[in-house]
Amino acid sequence: AQSVTQPDIHITVSEGASLELRCNYSYGATPYLFWYVQSPGQGLQLLLKYFSGDTLVQGIKGFEAEFKRSQSSFNLRKPSVHWSDAAEYFCAVGAPFGPMNYGGSQGNLIFGKGTKLSVKP
Amino acid sequence: GAVVSQHPSRVICKSGTSVKIECRSLDFQATTMFWYRQFPKQSLMLMATSNEGSKATYEQGVEKDKFLINHASLTLSTLTVTSAHPEDSSFYICSAPSGALQFFGPGTRLTVL
């Protein structure tokens, strides 16, 4: 079955410390992988994505993630966390592009349950 | 980037009433939009795929007669929760694809009393 696991429900880090949020997936084919951030009352914002190529991808706000096929993981990292990074983070996996049935994008994104990040001053 | 809006952002209604939620793509056209539901401390679950000009496609276990979807134009999809009950209280999020990505609305918090 297709699934995404985010093992950490809640993580607290000090401002300026490094961060790693874990994501493991189970998927029958080569997945497309995403990290989204959701702030209270806000919509989901895409941080970064992996489709193919270089397995280390850079995103917005200083985030990066590394796709490790052998470990079925796509962990999110940031070298120095800012207080404004406190939010809920979701890892998601989607199907590779199929027929152009909806503009070339996949429809059914499978989301992990999220990791809530708190930042201590 | 592409922007998706939702209206209302919050709604409180009495049990048995119907509630309509709008999802609009503001600066792009979307022949397809997606409706997700998010329970507290849970992940987003896809409810249905809204298709402009044709019937919506519902995920397994989602009651199509309860969650009516109408994709009226290339920029608007509506989700109507009919005869709402307290168990329908949730956070409803829509998204629309633009190119290879999906763009999400800010969500609608529905509370059914």
Side-chain angles (χ1 to χ4, degrees), chain A residues 34 36 38 41-44 46 49 51 90 97 101-114 116, chain B residues 31-32 34 36 38 41-46 49 51 59 91 93 97-107:
Chain A
F34 305 82
Y36 288 89
Q38 185 182 38
Q42 302 289 317
L44 289 167
L46 179 67
K49 63 188 183 297
F51 287 170
F90 292 94
F97 293 169
N101 47 356
Y102 20 76
S105 66
Q106 77 290 351
N108 190 5
L109 286 177
I110 300 168
F111 285 85
K113 291 190 174 182
K116 182 178 180 179
Chain B
T31 56
T32 298
F34 303 99
Y36 292 84
Q38 185 181 26
K41 301 189 186 304
Q42 296 289 320
S43 181
L44 283 77
M45 299 298 294
L46 181 68
T49 302
N51 303 299
E59 296 300 302
F91 194 53
I93 302 173
S98 178
L101 299 177
Q102 284 193 42
F103 293 88
F104 289 83

Side-chain angles (χ1 to χ4, degrees), chain A residues 2 4 8-9 17-18 24-25 27-28 35 37 47 54 60 64-65 70 79 83-84 86 90 102 109 113 117-118:
Chain A
Q2 302 165 355
V4 176
D8 304 305
I9 297 173
S18 63
N24 292 95
Y25 66 89
Y27 203 78
W35 274 100
V37 59
L47 284 176
D54 192 347
I60 62 171
E64 67 177 26
S70 61
W83 64 266
S84 60
F90 292 94
Y102 20 76
L109 286 177
K113 291 190 174 182
L117 173 65
S118 298

Side-chain angles (χ1 to χ4, degrees), chain B residues 21-25 30 33 50 52 70-78:
Chain B
I21 303 170
E22 293 185 346
C23 177
R24 293 182 186 272
S25 55
M33 293 183 179
S50 172
E52 191 270 337
N70 181 30
H71 202 129
S73 73
L74 289 172
T75 59
L76 173 64
S77 174
T78 59

Side-chain angles (χ1 to χ4, degrees), chain B residues 26-97:
Chain B
L26 296 185
D27 49 2
F28 66 103
Q29 293 182 336
T31 56
T32 298
M33 293 183 179
F34 303 99
W35 287 96
Y36 292 84
R37 183 173 180 178
Q38 185 181 26
F39 291 100
K41 301 189 186 304
Q42 296 289 320
S43 181
L44 283 77
M45 299 298 294
L46 181 68
M47 297 175 64
T49 302
S50 172
N51 303 299
E52 191 270 337
S54 64
K55 292 182 179 180
T57 305
Y58 290 82
E59 296 300 302
Q60 191 174 9
V62 178
E63 298 176 60
K64 61 182 180 181
D65 294 330
K66 181 166 190 62
F67 298 100
L68 300 180
I69 290 173
N70 181 30
H71 202 129
S73 73
L74 289 172
T75 59
L76 173 64
S77 174
T78 59
L79 168 68
T80 301
V81 183
T82 62
S83 187
H85 288 94
E87 57 265 29
D88 299 323
S89 298
S90 192
F91 194 53
Y92 293 86
I93 302 173
C94 71
S95 72

Side-chain angles (χ1 to χ4, degrees), chain A residues 15-65:
Chain A
E15 190 168 16
S18 63
L19 171 71
E20 182 171 36
L21 302 182
R22 296 182 290 167
C23 172
N24 292 95
Y25 66 89
S26 174
Y27 203 78
T30 302
Y32 284 8
L33 296 158
F34 305 82
W35 274 100
Y36 288 89
V37 59
Q38 185 182 38
S39 298
Q42 302 289 317
L44 289 167
Q45 182 180 22
L46 179 67
L47 284 176
L48 48 77
K49 63 188 183 297
Y50 172 78
F51 287 170
S52 65
D54 192 347
T55 55
L56 183 63
V57 293
Q58 303 295 321
I60 62 171
K61 304 184 180 184
F63 285 92
E64 67 177 26

